Amino acid sequence: MKPKKNDGHNQINKKIRQHILGVTTLCVICFSLVAGIFAYTRISTYEDGILEVCAMQQDAYVQLVLDQINLKDNRDDEQIINDILGTMDSSSNKYWTFSKSQSMLFVKDVLETNKYKGVAPTSYYVSDSAKKFIKGLEVNRVTHGYIEISGNMYVASGVSFEYKDELYRMCLLTDKDVLLDNNQYLQIKIQMKTFIVVILLVFIVVSMFFAHRVKEQQIKIDSQKDTIDTLNVILSKMNQKLMDRDLHDTRNNVWEQRAIVPFIDKLVQRNISPVTLIHIHCMNEEQRDRFISRAVYILDDNVIRFRYLNQDIVLIFVEIGMEQADKSIATLIEEGIVVENTYTVKGQADADVLRDRFGEHAL
């Protein structure tokens, strides 16, 4: 009689019921962490959307300045800087840069310009993101990106243009944090995060409350199962008796494989030794039956025979050592029959090894 396939699932379900509060708490916390991470990424995506809108507005501003420069075709560098870029509001958070070929012409203001005047743009745009952005500027088409300057992240809008047969690059840089430090936006952002945290906390508390209620109900149900458990024990004993009656095959004096482990355990409990177990592999069932028929005349009563898997045999030699056991089966070995393994059982540790090897869960 084979165990039901659902027994493993029933055992798992029973353990879950016994620890439902802990399991629920763990699951709820894991779900809340995932939900919190998801919400955080959504807020980050929202911020990216805000930055994109600001960047597009900044692009339009840069385009207007470019159009103003192109209104006249006779300005020199100083006129462009003094009459146009120099009149723009600038600070450490938002400022213009202007370069020609391999020379910086203007950075933020007069003081900053003097520090970088005549220096190659690569000396100012030193980070990888800044280098990539400045090299990727398109002629007469304003583009934007996110670059690092002196450890700060900026939203950069820039354009490359030709003026009087010279190639110029003009960029407007705005500190990324300044765009996101708007009081109204920060207030909404804090409200969104607070709302998410409150919702997740309520979800955790409510889930744990219901889990506690379910556990209490389960305890009450378990307390009413004494009669059912008693009947189950009686039924189990009856089934065991029926199973024990079916285990033995009187025709060939062979036991079924599920009796291997219980038999070994009984031998260990009774301190019987030496005990030798031999696992024999046969090519097919016919060869196994022939082996068993011959073994009736060669092996004595101290050798217990078991069917194993589809065509294998397990022999347990009671009070017989390994050397004598090997000699006993020597005349039974023929082509197609192979001794897979030989084990000596001296105590509980050896019995545990054989339980893992020949127990029903190992099949």
Side-chain angles (χ1 to χ4, degrees), residues 194-228:
T194 303
F195 177 75
I196 292 170
V197 171
V198 170
I199 289 295
L200 292 178
L201 287 176
V202 170
F203 173 71
I204 292 173
V205 172
V206 171
S207 299
M208 293 178 65
F209 171 76
F210 280 109
H212 181 70
R213 293 286 296 175
V214 170
K215 184 178 181 180
E216 288 182 341
Q217 293 298 321
Q218 189 62 48
I219 292 174
K220 292 180 181 179
I221 293 172
D222 291 340
S223 66
Q224 299 172 359
K225 287 184 177 180
D226 292 342
T227 303
I228 297 175

PDB file of all heavy atoms in Angstrom, residues 194-228:
ATOM      1  N   THR A 194       4.347  59.485   2.493  1.00  0.00           N
ATOM      2  CA  THR A 194       3.627  59.241   3.753  1.00  0.00           C
ATOM      3  C   THR A 194       2.406  58.379   3.522  1.00  0.00           C
ATOM      4  O   THR A 194       2.130  57.445   4.296  1.00  0.00           O
ATOM      5  CB  THR A 194       3.206  60.584   4.382  1.00  0.00           C
ATOM      6  OG1 THR A 194       4.355  61.410   4.579  1.00  0.00           O
ATOM      7  CG2 THR A 194       2.519  60.354   5.722  1.00  0.00           C
ATOM      8  N   PHE A 195       1.681  58.670   2.445  1.00  0.00           N
ATOM      9  CA  PHE A 195       0.481  57.883   2.125  1.00  0.00           C
ATOM     10  C   PHE A 195       0.844  56.413   1.869  1.00  0.00           C
ATOM     11  O   PHE A 195       0.169  55.502   2.368  1.00  0.00           O
ATOM     12  CB  PHE A 195      -0.197  58.479   0.884  1.00  0.00           C
ATOM     13  CG  PHE A 195      -1.402  57.709   0.419  1.00  0.00           C
ATOM     14  CD1 PHE A 195      -2.597  57.780   1.091  1.00  0.00           C
ATOM     15  CD2 PHE A 195      -1.313  56.897  -0.715  1.00  0.00           C
ATOM     16  CE1 PHE A 195      -3.704  57.058   0.661  1.00  0.00           C
ATOM     17  CE2 PHE A 195      -2.401  56.179  -1.147  1.00  0.00           C
ATOM     18  CZ  PHE A 195      -3.607  56.264  -0.464  1.00  0.00           C
ATOM     19  N   ILE A 196       1.919  56.191   1.132  1.00  0.00           N
ATOM     20  CA  ILE A 196       2.346  54.818   0.834  1.00  0.00           C
ATOM     21  C   ILE A 196       2.738  54.094   2.113  1.00  0.00           C
ATOM     22  O   ILE A 196       2.359  52.940   2.332  1.00  0.00           O
ATOM     23  CB  ILE A 196       3.509  54.837  -0.178  1.00  0.00           C
ATOM     24  CG1 ILE A 196       3.018  55.328  -1.540  1.00  0.00           C
ATOM     25  CG2 ILE A 196       4.130  53.439  -0.310  1.00  0.00           C
ATOM     26  CD1 ILE A 196       4.131  55.607  -2.520  1.00  0.00           C
ATOM     27  N   VAL A 197       3.525  54.771   2.970  1.00  0.00           N
ATOM     28  CA  VAL A 197       3.954  54.146   4.224  1.00  0.00           C
ATOM     29  C   VAL A 197       2.756  53.803   5.096  1.00  0.00           C
ATOM     30  O   VAL A 197       2.676  52.709   5.684  1.00  0.00           O
ATOM     31  CB  VAL A 197       4.927  55.079   4.982  1.00  0.00           C
ATOM     32  CG1 VAL A 197       5.198  54.550   6.389  1.00  0.00           C
ATOM     33  CG2 VAL A 197       6.231  55.216   4.213  1.00  0.00           C
ATOM     34  N   VAL A 198       1.792  54.734   5.198  1.00  0.00           N
ATOM     35  CA  VAL A 198       0.598  54.489   6.023  1.00  0.00           C
ATOM     36  C   VAL A 198      -0.192  53.308   5.478  1.00  0.00           C
ATOM     37  O   VAL A 198      -0.634  52.425   6.236  1.00  0.00           O
ATOM     38  CB  VAL A 198      -0.281  55.753   6.081  1.00  0.00           C
ATOM     39  CG1 VAL A 198      -1.632  55.441   6.721  1.00  0.00           C
ATOM     40  CG2 VAL A 198       0.422  56.847   6.869  1.00  0.00           C
ATOM     41  N   ILE A 199      -0.384  53.270   4.167  1.00  0.00           N
ATOM     42  CA  ILE A 199      -1.134  52.173   3.552  1.00  0.00           C
ATOM     43  C   ILE A 199      -0.456  50.833   3.836  1.00  0.00           C
ATOM     44  O   ILE A 199      -1.112  49.840   4.196  1.00  0.00           O
ATOM     45  CB  ILE A 199      -1.261  52.390   2.034  1.00  0.00           C
ATOM     46  CG1 ILE A 199      -2.225  53.538   1.750  1.00  0.00           C
ATOM     47  CG2 ILE A 199      -1.753  51.118   1.346  1.00  0.00           C
ATOM     48  CD1 ILE A 199      -3.650  53.277   2.161  1.00  0.00           C
ATOM     49  N   LEU A 200       0.873  50.781   3.696  1.00  0.00           N
ATOM     50  CA  LEU A 200       1.590  49.528   3.928  1.00  0.00           C
ATOM     51  C   LEU A 200       1.529  49.125   5.397  1.00  0.00           C
ATOM     52  O   LEU A 200       1.389  47.936   5.723  1.00  0.00           O
ATOM     53  CB  LEU A 200       3.050  49.673   3.479  1.00  0.00           C
ATOM     54  CG  LEU A 200       3.263  49.824   1.966  1.00  0.00           C
ATOM     55  CD1 LEU A 200       4.739  50.010   1.649  1.00  0.00           C
ATOM     56  CD2 LEU A 200       2.719  48.615   1.213  1.00  0.00           C
ATOM     57  N   LEU A 201       1.625  50.112   6.312  1.00  0.00           N
ATOM     58  CA  LEU A 201       1.520  49.793   7.734  1.00  0.00           C
ATOM     59  C   LEU A 201       0.138  49.258   8.080  1.00  0.00           C
ATOM     60  O   LEU A 201       0.008  48.286   8.842  1.00  0.00           O
ATOM     61  CB  LEU A 201       1.841  51.033   8.574  1.00  0.00           C
ATOM     62  CG  LEU A 201       3.314  51.462   8.630  1.00  0.00           C
ATOM     63  CD1 LEU A 201       3.463  52.750   9.421  1.00  0.00           C
ATOM     64  CD2 LEU A 201       4.166  50.361   9.258  1.00  0.00           C
ATOM     65  N   VAL A 202      -0.898  49.888   7.537  1.00  0.00           N
ATOM     66  CA  VAL A 202      -2.265  49.401   7.771  1.00  0.00           C
ATOM     67  C   VAL A 202      -2.424  47.997   7.218  1.00  0.00           C
ATOM     68  O   VAL A 202      -3.036  47.120   7.858  1.00  0.00           O
ATOM     69  CB  VAL A 202      -3.290  50.360   7.122  1.00  0.00           C
ATOM     70  CG1 VAL A 202      -4.695  49.743   7.151  1.00  0.00           C
ATOM     71  CG2 VAL A 202      -3.290  51.702   7.842  1.00  0.00           C
ATOM     72  N   PHE A 203      -1.855  47.760   6.034  1.00  0.00           N
ATOM     73  CA  PHE A 203      -1.934  46.430   5.433  1.00  0.00           C
ATOM     74  C   PHE A 203      -1.264  45.380   6.319  1.00  0.00           C
ATOM     75  O   PHE A 203      -1.802  44.287   6.541  1.00  0.00           O
ATOM     76  CB  PHE A 203      -1.270  46.469   4.051  1.00  0.00           C
ATOM     77  CG  PHE A 203      -1.134  45.127   3.399  1.00  0.00           C
ATOM     78  CD1 PHE A 203      -2.239  44.461   2.911  1.00  0.00           C
ATOM     79  CD2 PHE A 203       0.112  44.517   3.287  1.00  0.00           C
ATOM     80  CE1 PHE A 203      -2.121  43.215   2.309  1.00  0.00           C
ATOM     81  CE2 PHE A 203       0.246  43.282   2.698  1.00  0.00           C
ATOM     82  CZ  PHE A 203      -0.878  42.626   2.206  1.00  0.00           C
ATOM     83  N   ILE A 204      -0.085  45.727   6.876  1.00  0.00           N
ATOM     84  CA  ILE A 204       0.636  44.791   7.748  1.00  0.00           C
ATOM     85  C   ILE A 204      -0.171  44.509   9.014  1.00  0.00           C
ATOM     86  O   ILE A 204      -0.344  43.353   9.417  1.00  0.00           O
ATOM     87  CB  ILE A 204       2.023  45.357   8.102  1.00  0.00           C
ATOM     88  CG1 ILE A 204       2.924  45.385   6.852  1.00  0.00           C
ATOM     89  CG2 ILE A 204       2.689  44.522   9.201  1.00  0.00           C
ATOM     90  CD1 ILE A 204       4.253  46.076   7.074  1.00  0.00           C
ATOM     91  N   VAL A 205      -0.680  45.586   9.659  1.00  0.00           N
ATOM     92  CA  VAL A 205      -1.416  45.414  10.918  1.00  0.00           C
ATOM     93  C   VAL A 205      -2.687  44.607  10.707  1.00  0.00           C
ATOM     94  O   VAL A 205      -2.990  43.676  11.474  1.00  0.00           O
ATOM     95  CB  VAL A 205      -1.741  46.795  11.529  1.00  0.00           C
ATOM     96  CG1 VAL A 205      -2.667  46.641  12.733  1.00  0.00           C
ATOM     97  CG2 VAL A 205      -0.457  47.501  11.956  1.00  0.00           C
ATOM     98  N   VAL A 206      -3.441  44.926   9.656  1.00  0.00           N
ATOM     99  CA  VAL A 206      -4.690  44.210   9.395  1.00  0.00           C
ATOM    100  C   VAL A 206      -4.426  42.745   9.071  1.00  0.00           C
ATOM    101  O   VAL A 206      -5.124  41.843   9.565  1.00  0.00           O
ATOM    102  CB  VAL A 206      -5.465  44.891   8.245  1.00  0.00           C
ATOM    103  CG1 VAL A 206      -6.665  44.037   7.804  1.00  0.00           C
ATOM    104  CG2 VAL A 206      -5.945  46.273   8.676  1.00  0.00           C
ATOM    105  N   SER A 207      -3.408  42.497   8.267  1.00  0.00           N
ATOM    106  CA  SER A 207      -3.083  41.113   7.905  1.00  0.00           C
ATOM    107  C   SER A 207      -2.685  40.306   9.140  1.00  0.00           C
ATOM    108  O   SER A 207      -3.105  39.156   9.313  1.00  0.00           O
ATOM    109  CB  SER A 207      -1.955  41.092   6.872  1.00  0.00           C
ATOM    110  OG  SER A 207      -2.330  41.757   5.689  1.00  0.00           O
ATOM    111  N   MET A 208      -1.861  40.909  10.009  1.00  0.00           N
ATOM    112  CA  MET A 208      -1.448  40.201  11.219  1.00  0.00           C
ATOM    113  C   MET A 208      -2.627  39.983  12.158  1.00  0.00           C
ATOM    114  O   MET A 208      -2.716  38.943  12.826  1.00  0.00           O
ATOM    115  CB  MET A 208      -0.339  40.992  11.927  1.00  0.00           C
ATOM    116  CG  MET A 208       0.964  41.044  11.147  1.00  0.00           C
ATOM    117  SD  MET A 208       2.244  42.026  11.961  1.00  0.00           S
ATOM    118  CE  MET A 208       2.512  41.059  13.437  1.00  0.00           C
ATOM    119  N   PHE A 209      -3.548  40.939  12.215  1.00  0.00           N
ATOM    120  CA  PHE A 209      -4.737  40.781  13.056  1.00  0.00           C
ATOM    121  C   PHE A 209      -5.570  39.589  12.596  1.00  0.00           C
ATOM    122  O   PHE A 209      -5.973  38.739  13.410  1.00  0.00           O
ATOM    123  CB  PHE A 209      -5.573  42.066  13.018  1.00  0.00           C
ATOM    124  CG  PHE A 209      -6.928  41.932  13.670  1.00  0.00           C
ATOM    125  CD1 PHE A 209      -7.044  41.927  15.048  1.00  0.00           C
ATOM    126  CD2 PHE A 209      -8.064  41.780  12.887  1.00  0.00           C
ATOM    127  CE1 PHE A 209      -8.295  41.789  15.649  1.00  0.00           C
ATOM    128  CE2 PHE A 209      -9.310  41.643  13.474  1.00  0.00           C
ATOM    129  CZ  PHE A 209      -9.428  41.652  14.864  1.00  0.00           C
ATOM    130  N   PHE A 210      -5.839  39.529  11.291  1.00  0.00           N
ATOM    131  CA  PHE A 210      -6.632  38.415  10.766  1.00  0.00           C
ATOM    132  C   PHE A 210      -5.887  37.089  10.904  1.00  0.00           C
ATOM    133  O   PHE A 210      -6.499  36.046  11.147  1.00  0.00           O
ATOM    134  CB  PHE A 210      -7.021  38.672   9.309  1.00  0.00           C
ATOM    135  CG  PHE A 210      -8.185  39.603   9.156  1.00  0.00           C
ATOM    136  CD1 PHE A 210      -8.007  40.883   8.673  1.00  0.00           C
ATOM    137  CD2 PHE A 210      -9.459  39.201   9.511  1.00  0.00           C
ATOM    138  CE1 PHE A 210      -9.074  41.747   8.541  1.00  0.00           C
ATOM    139  CE2 PHE A 210     -10.538  40.063   9.382  1.00  0.00           C
ATOM    140  CZ  PHE A 210     -10.355  41.348   8.896  1.00  0.00           C
ATOM    141  N   ALA A 211      -4.560  37.126  10.753  1.00  0.00           N
ATOM    142  CA  ALA A 211      -3.787  35.900  10.939  1.00  0.00           C
ATOM    143  C   ALA A 211      -3.901  35.413  12.380  1.00  0.00           C
ATOM    144  O   ALA A 211      -4.015  34.202  12.644  1.00  0.00           O
ATOM    145  CB  ALA A 211      -2.320  36.150  10.581  1.00  0.00           C
ATOM    146  N   HIS A 212      -3.879  36.362  13.320  1.00  0.00           N
ATOM    147  CA  HIS A 212      -4.046  35.985  14.735  1.00  0.00           C
ATOM    148  C   HIS A 212      -5.426  35.397  14.981  1.00  0.00           C
ATOM    149  O   HIS A 212      -5.565  34.405  15.723  1.00  0.00           O
ATOM    150  CB  HIS A 212      -3.822  37.223  15.602  1.00  0.00           C
ATOM    151  CG  HIS A 212      -3.938  36.959  17.074  1.00  0.00           C
ATOM    152  ND1 HIS A 212      -2.996  36.221  17.776  1.00  0.00           N
ATOM    153  CD2 HIS A 212      -4.897  37.322  17.978  1.00  0.00           C
ATOM    154  CE1 HIS A 212      -3.370  36.143  19.042  1.00  0.00           C
ATOM    155  NE2 HIS A 212      -4.515  36.799  19.194  1.00  0.00           N
ATOM    156  N   ARG A 213      -6.448  35.979  14.362  1.00  0.00           N
ATOM    157  CA  ARG A 213      -7.800  35.451  14.511  1.00  0.00           C
ATOM    158  C   ARG A 213      -7.914  34.050  13.936  1.00  0.00           C
ATOM    159  O   ARG A 213      -8.532  33.154  14.525  1.00  0.00           O
ATOM    160  CB  ARG A 213      -8.788  36.390  13.821  1.00  0.00           C
ATOM    161  CG  ARG A 213      -8.922  37.749  14.468  1.00  0.00           C
ATOM    162  CD  ARG A 213      -9.706  37.704  15.752  1.00  0.00           C
ATOM    163  NE  ARG A 213     -11.086  37.301  15.516  1.00  0.00           N
ATOM    164  CZ  ARG A 213     -11.982  37.078  16.465  1.00  0.00           C
ATOM    165  NH1 ARG A 213     -11.598  37.204  17.741  1.00  0.00           N
ATOM    166  NH2 ARG A 213     -13.219  36.740  16.183  1.00  0.00           N
ATOM    167  N   VAL A 214      -7.298  33.854  12.780  1.00  0.00           N
ATOM    168  CA  VAL A 214      -7.334  32.527  12.158  1.00  0.00           C
ATOM    169  C   VAL A 214      -6.624  31.504  13.040  1.00  0.00           C
ATOM    170  O   VAL A 214      -7.073  30.362  13.182  1.00  0.00           O
ATOM    171  CB  VAL A 214      -6.679  32.584  10.757  1.00  0.00           C
ATOM    172  CG1 VAL A 214      -6.474  31.183  10.195  1.00  0.00           C
ATOM    173  CG2 VAL A 214      -7.539  33.404   9.804  1.00  0.00           C
ATOM    174  N   LYS A 215      -5.499  31.917  13.644  1.00  0.00           N
ATOM    175  CA  LYS A 215      -4.769  31.003  14.524  1.00  0.00           C
ATOM    176  C   LYS A 215      -5.623  30.615  15.724  1.00  0.00           C
ATOM    177  O   LYS A 215      -5.634  29.444  16.145  1.00  0.00           O
ATOM    178  CB  LYS A 215      -3.467  31.668  14.986  1.00  0.00           C
ATOM    179  CG  LYS A 215      -2.598  30.740  15.830  1.00  0.00           C
ATOM    180  CD  LYS A 215      -1.294  31.413  16.214  1.00  0.00           C
ATOM    181  CE  LYS A 215      -0.433  30.451  17.044  1.00  0.00           C
ATOM    182  NZ  LYS A 215       0.853  31.073  17.433  1.00  0.00           N
ATOM    183  N   GLU A 216      -6.341  31.579  16.307  1.00  0.00           N
ATOM    184  CA  GLU A 216      -7.213  31.273  17.439  1.00  0.00           C
ATOM    185  C   GLU A 216      -8.294  30.281  17.033  1.00  0.00           C
ATOM    186  O   GLU A 216      -8.605  29.334  17.779  1.00  0.00           O
ATOM    187  CB  GLU A 216      -7.856  32.564  17.967  1.00  0.00           C
ATOM    188  CG  GLU A 216      -6.883  33.478  18.706  1.00  0.00           C
ATOM    189  CD  GLU A 216      -7.569  34.717  19.239  1.00  0.00           C
ATOM    190  OE1 GLU A 216      -8.684  35.037  18.746  1.00  0.00           O
ATOM    191  OE2 GLU A 216      -7.021  35.361  20.144  1.00  0.00           O
ATOM    192  N   GLN A 217      -8.898  30.497  15.864  1.00  0.00           N
ATOM    193  CA  GLN A 217      -9.920  29.575  15.388  1.00  0.00           C
ATOM    194  C   GLN A 217      -9.349  28.188  15.137  1.00  0.00           C
ATOM    195  O   GLN A 217      -9.995  27.173  15.417  1.00  0.00           O
ATOM    196  CB  GLN A 217     -10.557  30.122  14.093  1.00  0.00           C
ATOM    197  CG  GLN A 217     -11.367  31.393  14.282  1.00  0.00           C
ATOM    198  CD  GLN A 217     -12.553  31.196  15.202  1.00  0.00           C
ATOM    199  OE1 GLN A 217     -13.224  30.153  15.151  1.00  0.00           O
ATOM    200  NE2 GLN A 217     -12.817  32.186  16.044  1.00  0.00           N
ATOM    201  N   GLN A 218      -8.111  28.150  14.624  1.00  0.00           N
ATOM    202  CA  GLN A 218      -7.485  26.860  14.366  1.00  0.00           C
ATOM    203  C   GLN A 218      -7.231  26.104  15.663  1.00  0.00           C
ATOM    204  O   GLN A 218      -7.375  24.878  15.725  1.00  0.00           O
ATOM    205  CB  GLN A 218      -6.170  27.068  13.618  1.00  0.00           C
ATOM    206  CG  GLN A 218      -5.532  25.785  13.107  1.00  0.00           C
ATOM    207  CD  GLN A 218      -6.417  25.074  12.102  1.00  0.00           C
ATOM    208  OE1 GLN A 218      -6.926  25.689  11.181  1.00  0.00           O
ATOM    209  NE2 GLN A 218      -6.612  23.774  12.283  1.00  0.00           N
ATOM    210  N   ILE A 219      -6.841  26.839  16.710  1.00  0.00           N
ATOM    211  CA  ILE A 219      -6.628  26.195  18.015  1.00  0.00           C
ATOM    212  C   ILE A 219      -7.927  25.591  18.525  1.00  0.00           C
ATOM    213  O   ILE A 219      -7.950  24.470  19.059  1.00  0.00           O
ATOM    214  CB  ILE A 219      -6.059  27.217  19.014  1.00  0.00           C
ATOM    215  CG1 ILE A 219      -4.637  27.624  18.601  1.00  0.00           C
ATOM    216  CG2 ILE A 219      -6.054  26.651  20.432  1.00  0.00           C
ATOM    217  CD1 ILE A 219      -4.046  28.728  19.446  1.00  0.00           C
ATOM    218  N   LYS A 220      -9.027  26.326  18.354  1.00  0.00           N
ATOM    219  CA  LYS A 220     -10.323  25.798  18.788  1.00  0.00           C
ATOM    220  C   LYS A 220     -10.703  24.552  17.997  1.00  0.00           C
ATOM    221  O   LYS A 220     -11.229  23.573  18.551  1.00  0.00           O
ATOM    222  CB  LYS A 220     -11.400  26.877  18.622  1.00  0.00           C
ATOM    223  CG  LYS A 220     -11.236  28.060  19.565  1.00  0.00           C
ATOM    224  CD  LYS A 220     -12.337  29.094  19.340  1.00  0.00           C
ATOM    225  CE  LYS A 220     -12.161  30.287  20.279  1.00  0.00           C
ATOM    226  NZ  LYS A 220     -13.212  31.318  20.057  1.00  0.00           N
ATOM    227  N   ILE A 221     -10.442  24.591  16.688  1.00  0.00           N
ATOM    228  CA  ILE A 221     -10.776  23.442  15.855  1.00  0.00           C
ATOM    229  C   ILE A 221      -9.928  22.233  16.248  1.00  0.00           C
ATOM    230  O   ILE A 221     -10.432  21.106  16.350  1.00  0.00           O
ATOM    231  CB  ILE A 221     -10.583  23.788  14.370  1.00  0.00           C
ATOM    232  CG1 ILE A 221     -11.602  24.829  13.929  1.00  0.00           C
ATOM    233  CG2 ILE A 221     -10.698  22.544  13.496  1.00  0.00           C
ATOM    234  CD1 ILE A 221     -11.378  25.366  12.536  1.00  0.00           C
ATOM    235  N   ASP A 222      -8.633  22.476  16.482  1.00  0.00           N
ATOM    236  CA  ASP A 222      -7.744  21.373  16.866  1.00  0.00           C
ATOM    237  C   ASP A 222      -8.154  20.738  18.189  1.00  0.00           C
ATOM    238  O   ASP A 222      -7.985  19.522  18.382  1.00  0.00           O
ATOM    239  CB  ASP A 222      -6.295  21.886  16.955  1.00  0.00           C
ATOM    240  CG  ASP A 222      -5.729  22.251  15.586  1.00  0.00           C
ATOM    241  OD1 ASP A 222      -6.291  21.769  14.586  1.00  0.00           O
ATOM    242  OD2 ASP A 222      -4.746  23.009  15.530  1.00  0.00           O
ATOM    243  N   SER A 223      -8.672  21.571  19.100  1.00  0.00           N
ATOM    244  CA  SER A 223      -9.090  21.036  20.393  1.00  0.00           C
ATOM    245  C   SER A 223     -10.304  20.131  20.281  1.00  0.00           C
ATOM    246  O   SER A 223     -10.594  19.341  21.180  1.00  0.00           O
ATOM    247  CB  SER A 223      -9.380  22.198  21.355  1.00  0.00           C
ATOM    248  OG  SER A 223     -10.510  22.937  20.900  1.00  0.00           O
ATOM    249  N   GLN A 224     -11.054  20.227  19.190  1.00  0.00           N
ATOM    250  CA  GLN A 224     -12.250  19.411  18.983  1.00  0.00           C
ATOM    251  C   GLN A 224     -11.975  18.162  18.153  1.00  0.00           C
ATOM    252  O   GLN A 224     -12.891  17.452  17.755  1.00  0.00           O
ATOM    253  CB  GLN A 224     -13.334  20.259  18.300  1.00  0.00           C
ATOM    254  CG  GLN A 224     -13.767  21.455  19.118  1.00  0.00           C
ATOM    255  CD  GLN A 224     -14.682  22.380  18.338  1.00  0.00           C
ATOM    256  OE1 GLN A 224     -14.993  22.145  17.170  1.00  0.00           O
ATOM    257  NE2 GLN A 224     -15.129  23.465  18.992  1.00  0.00           N
ATOM    258  N   LYS A 225     -10.710  17.910  17.865  1.00  0.00           N
ATOM    259  CA  LYS A 225     -10.372  16.785  16.985  1.00  0.00           C
ATOM    260  C   LYS A 225      -9.922  15.527  17.734  1.00  0.00           C
ATOM    261  O   LYS A 225      -9.415  14.605  17.118  1.00  0.00           O
ATOM    262  CB  LYS A 225      -9.253  17.198  16.019  1.00  0.00           C
ATOM    263  CG  LYS A 225      -9.722  18.141  14.928  1.00  0.00           C
ATOM    264  CD  LYS A 225      -8.592  18.432  13.970  1.00  0.00           C
ATOM    265  CE  LYS A 225      -9.061  19.319  12.831  1.00  0.00           C
ATOM    266  NZ  LYS A 225      -7.976  19.618  11.871  1.00  0.00           N
ATOM    267  N   ASP A 226     -10.057  15.507  19.049  1.00  0.00           N
ATOM    268  CA  ASP A 226      -9.580  14.354  19.809  1.00  0.00           C
ATOM    269  C   ASP A 226     -10.261  13.063  19.369  1.00  0.00           C
ATOM    270  O   ASP A 226      -9.600  12.027  19.173  1.00  0.00           O
ATOM    271  CB  ASP A 226      -9.810  14.576  21.310  1.00  0.00           C
ATOM    272  CG  ASP A 226      -8.917  15.674  21.844  1.00  0.00           C
ATOM    273  OD1 ASP A 226      -7.924  15.991  21.156  1.00  0.00           O
ATOM    274  OD2 ASP A 226      -9.215  16.214  22.921  1.00  0.00           O
ATOM    275  N   THR A 227     -11.570  13.133  19.217  1.00  0.00           N
ATOM    276  CA  THR A 227     -12.310  11.938  18.814  1.00  0.00           C
ATOM    277  C   THR A 227     -11.900  11.481  17.424  1.00  0.00           C
ATOM    278  O   THR A 227     -11.682  10.279  17.172  1.00  0.00           O
ATOM    279  CB  THR A 227     -13.829  12.219  18.833  1.00  0.00           C
ATOM    280  OG1 THR A 227     -14.200  12.651  20.143  1.00  0.00           O
ATOM    281  CG2 THR A 227     -14.614  10.955  18.470  1.00  0.00           C
ATOM    282  N   ILE A 228     -11.752  12.455  16.515  1.00  0.00           N
ATOM    283  CA  ILE A 228     -11.359  12.121  15.145  1.00  0.00           C
ATOM    284  C   ILE A 228      -9.954  11.532  15.132  1.00  0.00           C
ATOM    285  O   ILE A 228      -9.687  10.552  14.423  1.00  0.00           O
ATOM    286  CB  ILE A 228     -11.427  13.374  14.247  1.00  0.00           C
ATOM    287  CG1 ILE A 228     -12.863  13.882  14.175  1.00  0.00           C
ATOM    288  CG2 ILE A 228     -10.890  13.087  12.863  1.00  0.00           C
ATOM    289  CD1 ILE A 228     -13.025  15.181  13.410  1.00  0.00           C
TER     290      ILE A 228
END
